Amino acid sequence: MSNKLRQEVLQTFKSLHQTRKTVFKNDNRALAEGRTKINQEFKKQKHVENEAAIQELLNYARAVEHELKTCVIQAQEVAPGKYQAEITKDTIKLDNVAFKEECCMEVGNKRTQQCGPRGCT
């Protein structure tokens, strides 16, 4: 493996651990499990010498890091039945569509939707 590729592997390894610390801050169990999983996956692929295969594994690791940064959120129960979510600047925020129970009618044991996919009009 070339020196440049070795540096890229180490940088990706460090970056994944930094992301783990950010995403799972204050959650000791998730931090420990994440650390173990990252270390296991890198050790499992330690024998790979083909540069194209290594590059593919690095792309996969970057995709995992992106998924962690943008899609994983923490939520803590602040009161019975009420949760506070930790949203970061990287978290993808999608438009919410309000669900209205009155839009659905029960016919027998089946529910039928009375309005379109965007909710009631």
Side-chain angles (χ1 to χ4, degrees):
M1 176 177 7
S2 72
N3 196 31
K4 182 180 177 194
L5 192 56
R6 182 180 303 277
Q7 284 180 325
E8 201 174 338
V9 169
L10 289 173
Q11 182 58 43
T12 302
F13 180 77
K14 286 180 179 181
S15 184
L16 266 170
H17 276 291
Q18 284 298 96
T19 298
R20 169 190 64 92
K21 288 178 183 178
T22 302
V23 171
F24 300 120
K25 74 177 180 198
N26 300 326
D27 185 346
N28 294 331
R29 182 176 176 199
L31 284 166
E33 291 294 325
R35 180 177 195 211
T36 301
K37 186 66 174 173
I38 292 167
N39 292 343
Q40 281 176 350
E41 291 300 318
F42 272 79
K43 284 179 186 175
K44 188 166 68 173
Q45 304 301 334
K46 189 176 182 177
H47 70 282
V48 178
E49 293 182 11
N50 182 328
E51 291 196 8
I54 292 170
Q55 202 60 49
E56 191 174 315
L57 289 166
L58 286 172
N59 289 338
Y60 179 73
R62 288 186 196 109
V64 168
E65 181 180 8
H66 181 264
E67 192 75 15
L68 283 171
K69 280 182 178 178
T70 60
C71 297
V72 176
I73 61 169
Q74 288 182 298
Q76 288 186 320
E77 190 171 25
V78 292
K82 292 189 178 191
Y83 294 85
Q84 178 178 345
E86 291 290 325
I87 307 294
T88 67
K89 63 179 175 56
D90 296 320
T91 304
I92 294 175
K93 298 162 199 81
L94 302 173
D95 291 335
N96 287 332
V97 177
F99 175 78
K100 295 186 179 178
E101 190 69 36
E102 61 269 11
C103 287
C104 299
M105 285 181 42
E106 246 180 74
V107 179
N109 288 338
K110 294 183 178 179
R111 290 189 133 199
T112 58
Q113 184 123 6
Q114 295 297 309
C115 15
R118 288 281 194 200
C120 297
T121 54

